[in-house]
PDB file of all heavy atoms in Angstrom:
ATOM      1  N   CYS A  59       6.683   7.478  -2.819  1.00 97.00           N
ATOM      2  CA  CYS A  59       5.418   6.822  -3.186  1.00 97.00           C
ATOM      3  C   CYS A  59       4.707   7.640  -4.263  1.00 97.00           C
ATOM      4  O   CYS A  59       4.094   7.073  -5.173  1.00 97.00           O
ATOM      5  CB  CYS A  59       4.515   6.658  -1.970  1.00 97.00           C
ATOM      6  SG  CYS A  59       5.017   5.304  -0.873  1.00 97.00           S
ATOM      7  N   LYS A  60       4.786   8.970  -4.161  1.00 97.00           N
ATOM      8  CA  LYS A  60       4.156   9.817  -5.183  1.00 97.00           C
ATOM      9  C   LYS A  60       4.853   9.657  -6.528  1.00 97.00           C
ATOM     10  O   LYS A  60       4.207   9.685  -7.576  1.00 97.00           O
ATOM     11  CB  LYS A  60       4.163  11.282  -4.738  1.00 97.00           C
ATOM     12  CG  LYS A  60       3.162  11.531  -3.619  1.00 97.00           C
ATOM     13  CD  LYS A  60       3.169  12.977  -3.170  1.00 97.00           C
ATOM     14  CE  LYS A  60       2.105  13.187  -2.093  1.00 97.00           C
ATOM     15  NZ  LYS A  60       2.243  14.476  -1.422  1.00 97.00           N
ATOM     16  N   ILE A  61       6.175   9.507  -6.513  1.00 98.00           N
ATOM     17  CA  ILE A  61       6.905   9.259  -7.767  1.00 98.00           C
ATOM     18  C   ILE A  61       6.495   7.901  -8.346  1.00 98.00           C
ATOM     19  O   ILE A  61       6.200   7.784  -9.542  1.00 98.00           O
ATOM     20  CB  ILE A  61       8.426   9.346  -7.519  1.00 98.00           C
ATOM     21  CG1 ILE A  61       8.829  10.819  -7.335  1.00 98.00           C
ATOM     22  CG2 ILE A  61       9.215   8.703  -8.659  1.00 98.00           C
ATOM     23  CD1 ILE A  61      10.270  11.044  -6.929  1.00 98.00           C
ATOM     24  N   ILE A  62       6.417   6.882  -7.481  1.00 98.00           N
ATOM     25  CA  ILE A  62       6.015   5.539  -7.946  1.00 98.00           C
ATOM     26  C   ILE A  62       4.599   5.596  -8.537  1.00 98.00           C
ATOM     27  O   ILE A  62       4.314   4.985  -9.565  1.00 98.00           O
ATOM     28  CB  ILE A  62       6.086   4.523  -6.778  1.00 98.00           C
ATOM     29  CG1 ILE A  62       7.549   4.293  -6.382  1.00 98.00           C
ATOM     30  CG2 ILE A  62       5.394   3.209  -7.147  1.00 98.00           C
ATOM     31  CD1 ILE A  62       7.724   3.640  -5.018  1.00 98.00           C
ATOM     32  N   GLY A  63       3.730   6.360  -7.883  1.00 96.00           N
ATOM     33  CA  GLY A  63       2.348   6.468  -8.342  1.00 96.00           C
ATOM     34  C   GLY A  63       2.152   7.410  -9.530  1.00 96.00           C
ATOM     35  O   GLY A  63       1.036   7.533 -10.042  1.00 96.00           O
ATOM     36  N   GLY A  64       3.216   8.100  -9.929  1.00 96.00           N
ATOM     37  CA  GLY A  64       3.131   8.997 -11.080  1.00 96.00           C
ATOM     38  C   GLY A  64       2.585  10.378 -10.752  1.00 96.00           C
ATOM     39  O   GLY A  64       2.379  11.200 -11.649  1.00 96.00           O
ATOM     40  N   GLU A  65       2.344  10.669  -9.459  1.00 96.00           N
ATOM     41  CA  GLU A  65       1.833  11.996  -9.061  1.00 96.00           C
ATOM     42  C   GLU A  65       2.904  13.069  -9.177  1.00 96.00           C
ATOM     43  O   GLU A  65       2.604  14.244  -9.375  1.00 96.00           O
ATOM     44  CB  GLU A  65       1.380  11.975  -7.598  1.00 96.00           C
ATOM     45  CG  GLU A  65       0.057  11.318  -7.349  1.00 96.00           C
ATOM     46  CD  GLU A  65      -0.220  11.339  -5.855  1.00 96.00           C
ATOM     47  OE1 GLU A  65      -0.416  12.424  -5.290  1.00 96.00           O
ATOM     48  OE2 GLU A  65      -0.195  10.251  -5.248  1.00 96.00           O
ATOM     49  N   ILE A  66       4.165  12.674  -8.970  1.00 96.00           N
ATOM     50  CA  ILE A  66       5.304  13.596  -9.090  1.00 96.00           C
ATOM     51  C   ILE A  66       6.194  13.048 -10.204  1.00 96.00           C
ATOM     52  O   ILE A  66       6.481  11.848 -10.220  1.00 96.00           O
ATOM     53  CB  ILE A  66       6.080  13.693  -7.758  1.00 96.00           C
ATOM     54  CG1 ILE A  66       5.225  14.385  -6.704  1.00 96.00           C
ATOM     55  CG2 ILE A  66       7.408  14.397  -7.936  1.00 96.00           C
ATOM     56  CD1 ILE A  66       5.892  14.507  -5.359  1.00 96.00           C
ATOM     57  N   PRO A  67       6.612  13.903 -11.142  1.00 98.00           N
ATOM     58  CA  PRO A  67       7.444  13.405 -12.247  1.00 98.00           C
ATOM     59  C   PRO A  67       8.850  13.011 -11.785  1.00 98.00           C
ATOM     60  O   PRO A  67       9.348  13.516 -10.764  1.00 98.00           O
ATOM     61  CB  PRO A  67       7.514  14.601 -13.205  1.00 98.00           C
ATOM     62  CG  PRO A  67       7.203  15.789 -12.379  1.00 98.00           C
ATOM     63  CD  PRO A  67       6.324  15.342 -11.239  1.00 98.00           C
ATOM     64  N   SER A  68       9.442  12.105 -12.508  1.00 98.00           N
ATOM     65  CA  SER A  68      10.832  11.730 -12.237  1.00 98.00           C
ATOM     66  C   SER A  68      11.453  11.273 -13.548  1.00 98.00           C
ATOM     67  O   SER A  68      10.747  10.951 -14.502  1.00 98.00           O
ATOM     68  CB  SER A  68      10.890  10.587 -11.212  1.00 98.00           C
ATOM     69  OG  SER A  68      10.360   9.403 -11.765  1.00 98.00           O
ATOM     70  N   ALA A  69      12.776  11.260 -13.567  1.00 98.00           N
ATOM     71  CA  ALA A  69      13.508  10.776 -14.752  1.00 98.00           C
ATOM     72  C   ALA A  69      13.753   9.283 -14.556  1.00 98.00           C
ATOM     73  O   ALA A  69      14.775   8.861 -13.997  1.00 98.00           O
ATOM     74  CB  ALA A  69      14.815  11.551 -14.895  1.00 98.00           C
ATOM     75  N   LYS A  70      12.789   8.468 -14.962  1.00 98.00           N
ATOM     76  CA  LYS A  70      12.872   7.020 -14.755  1.00 98.00           C
ATOM     77  C   LYS A  70      13.864   6.388 -15.716  1.00 98.00           C
ATOM     78  O   LYS A  70      13.879   6.718 -16.900  1.00 98.00           O
ATOM     79  CB  LYS A  70      11.497   6.378 -14.995  1.00 98.00           C
ATOM     80  CG  LYS A  70      10.445   6.797 -14.001  1.00 98.00           C
ATOM     81  CD  LYS A  70       9.095   6.135 -14.314  1.00 98.00           C
ATOM     82  CE  LYS A  70       8.015   6.733 -13.423  1.00 98.00           C
ATOM     83  NZ  LYS A  70       6.685   6.167 -13.674  1.00 98.00           N
ATOM     84  N   VAL A  71      14.661   5.477 -15.208  1.00 98.00           N
ATOM     85  CA  VAL A  71      15.566   4.735 -16.087  1.00 98.00           C
ATOM     86  C   VAL A  71      15.241   3.249 -16.115  1.00 98.00           C
ATOM     87  O   VAL A  71      15.668   2.532 -17.028  1.00 98.00           O
ATOM     88  CB  VAL A  71      17.059   4.949 -15.734  1.00 98.00           C
ATOM     89  CG1 VAL A  71      17.426   6.422 -15.781  1.00 98.00           C
ATOM     90  CG2 VAL A  71      17.400   4.350 -14.387  1.00 98.00           C
ATOM     91  N   TYR A  72      14.503   2.739 -15.118  1.00 98.00           N
ATOM     92  CA  TYR A  72      14.106   1.326 -15.115  1.00 98.00           C
ATOM     93  C   TYR A  72      12.877   1.164 -14.226  1.00 98.00           C
ATOM     94  O   TYR A  72      12.772   1.795 -13.177  1.00 98.00           O
ATOM     95  CB  TYR A  72      15.242   0.428 -14.577  1.00 98.00           C
ATOM     96  CG  TYR A  72      14.816  -1.016 -14.502  1.00 98.00           C
ATOM     97  CD1 TYR A  72      14.818  -1.820 -15.645  1.00 98.00           C
ATOM     98  CD2 TYR A  72      14.345  -1.561 -13.310  1.00 98.00           C
ATOM     99  CE1 TYR A  72      14.380  -3.124 -15.596  1.00 98.00           C
ATOM    100  CE2 TYR A  72      13.906  -2.876 -13.249  1.00 98.00           C
ATOM    101  CZ  TYR A  72      13.926  -3.652 -14.397  1.00 98.00           C
ATOM    102  OH  TYR A  72      13.476  -4.943 -14.347  1.00 98.00           O
ATOM    103  N   GLU A  73      11.950   0.305 -14.661  1.00 98.00           N
ATOM    104  CA  GLU A  73      10.781   0.011 -13.826  1.00 98.00           C
ATOM    105  C   GLU A  73      10.310  -1.395 -14.114  1.00 98.00           C
ATOM    106  O   GLU A  73      10.332  -1.864 -15.255  1.00 98.00           O
ATOM    107  CB  GLU A  73       9.648   1.013 -14.134  1.00 98.00           C
ATOM    108  CG  GLU A  73       8.409   0.772 -13.265  1.00 98.00           C
ATOM    109  CD  GLU A  73       7.392   1.894 -13.340  1.00 98.00           C
ATOM    110  OE1 GLU A  73       7.413   2.679 -14.309  1.00 98.00           O
ATOM    111  OE2 GLU A  73       6.562   1.973 -12.412  1.00 98.00           O
TER     112      GLU A  73
END
Side-chain angles (χ1 to χ4, degrees):
C59 283
K60 287 180 177 168
I61 286 173
I62 291 164
E65 283 178 67
I66 292 179
S68 68
K70 295 179 188 179
V71 303
Y72 177 80
E73 181 168 20

